[in-house]
Amino acid sequence: MRRALIGSLALSLGAAPVGVFLMLRRMSLAGDAMAHAILPGAAAGFLVAGLSLPAMTIGGLIAGVAVAVAAGLVTRATALKEDAALAAFYLLSLALGVTLVSLKGSNVDLLHVLFGSVLALDDDALYLLAGVSSLTLVTLAALYRPLVLECVDPGFLGSVSRAGGPVHLVFLGLVVLNLVAGFQALGTLLSVGVMMLPAASAAFWSRRLEGMFAAAVAVGMISSIAGLLGSYHSGVPTGPAIILAAGILYLGSIAFGPAGGLVWRLVPARRHRTA
């Protein structure tokens, strides 16, 4: 439980800010597609070395980057939009990854790859999660201004600097890196949840970017603690419990968040009718 808590907190610290940028770029579904894109690489690592952290991590990283680059090339070379290209590669990757795992492993191995095992994190996995989280925060701090400009006005960024393309590629690399790290704890199907649900919740708690970052990290950490405690006392699987906790906080944010929540939208309307 202690290892699971440390790993989940480290994952929330790095993945939640990346999720905020994905949301602001209107790329939320792209994150989901790329989460599944790492599956064939992880499955290939599983075929070579079994449930080996280095092999599956390297394989997942290569597959995720390859799918992101392939989708970008298809978008630029054809009339197909980026979301459609990612969706096509996502379906292909998911089917290929499940097939590869099934060739050598059992149903238990397949469930481990798809849904992770946060209670089985070892020292190597914790080092990976901590390293990815630290690298993500340092990189986001270094590229903060061009990342924000690209979210707000990519045309202006392109007119004053040529950094737009490289910054976009670095950001996609951070997305893949955090998804690969999250895969070790939550599997390919759930790793994107700790990235996007806290970010979506944060949009209802602050209208400023700094506040959204803080709220997203807070929601991710609270979800991790609540999910672990709920799993311990109820016996439900830990990974899904964490994502369910994040989903409950998201629904609560929709209802009570001060930055556009339903309750706060209704209060001024009632006052206006009374007056």
Side-chain angles (χ1 to χ4, degrees), residues 103-224:
L103 288 177
K104 180 179 178 181
S106 63
N107 289 336
V108 175
D109 295 324
L110 181 59
L111 289 174
H112 176 82
V113 172
L114 293 178
F115 298 103
S117 182
V118 68
L119 293 178
L121 293 177
D122 56 12
D123 289 344
D124 292 337
L126 291 180
Y127 289 142
L128 173 66
L129 289 168
V132 168
S133 179
S134 300
L135 178 62
T136 298
L137 294 178
V138 171
T139 305
L140 290 179
L143 301 179
Y144 182 77
R145 287 190 176 183
L147 281 172
V148 173
L149 277 176
E150 193 176 22
C151 292
V152 177
D153 192 348
F156 174 75
L157 178 62
S159 66
V160 300
S161 173
R162 295 182 179 180
V167 166
H168 183 68
L169 292 177
V170 171
F171 176 71
L172 288 180
L174 289 180
V175 174
V176 173
L177 200 59
N178 279 274
L179 291 173
V180 170
F183 154 78
Q184 305 298 334
L186 300 173
T188 57
L189 296 184
L190 296 178
S191 59
V192 71
V194 77
M195 180 179 290
M196 295 312 308
L197 282 172
S201 301
F204 293 97
W205 291 100
S206 177
R207 299 189 186 277
R208 296 182 59 85
L209 196 54
E210 299 85 352
M212 292 175 67
F213 287 145
V217 171
V219 169
M221 290 185 172
I222 294 172
S223 302
S224 300

Side-chain angles (χ1 to χ4, degrees), residues 240-268:
I242 292 174
I243 303 305
L244 283 174
I248 292 172
L249 289 176
Y250 169 64
L251 295 177
S253 300
I254 292 176
F256 302 106
L262 295 177
V263 172
W264 291 92
R265 285 177 176 271
L266 292 175
V267 170

Side-chain angles (χ1 to χ4, degrees), residues 38-60 96-114 183-184:
I38 69 176
L39 183 56
F46 173 76
L47 286 177
V48 173
L51 293 173
S52 168
L53 176 64
M56 296 179 72
T57 299
I58 293 173
L96 179 60
V98 171
T99 302
L100 289 175
V101 175
S102 301
L103 288 177
K104 180 179 178 181
S106 63
N107 289 336
V108 175
D109 295 324
L110 181 59
L111 289 174
H112 176 82
V113 172
L114 293 178
F183 154 78
Q184 305 298 334

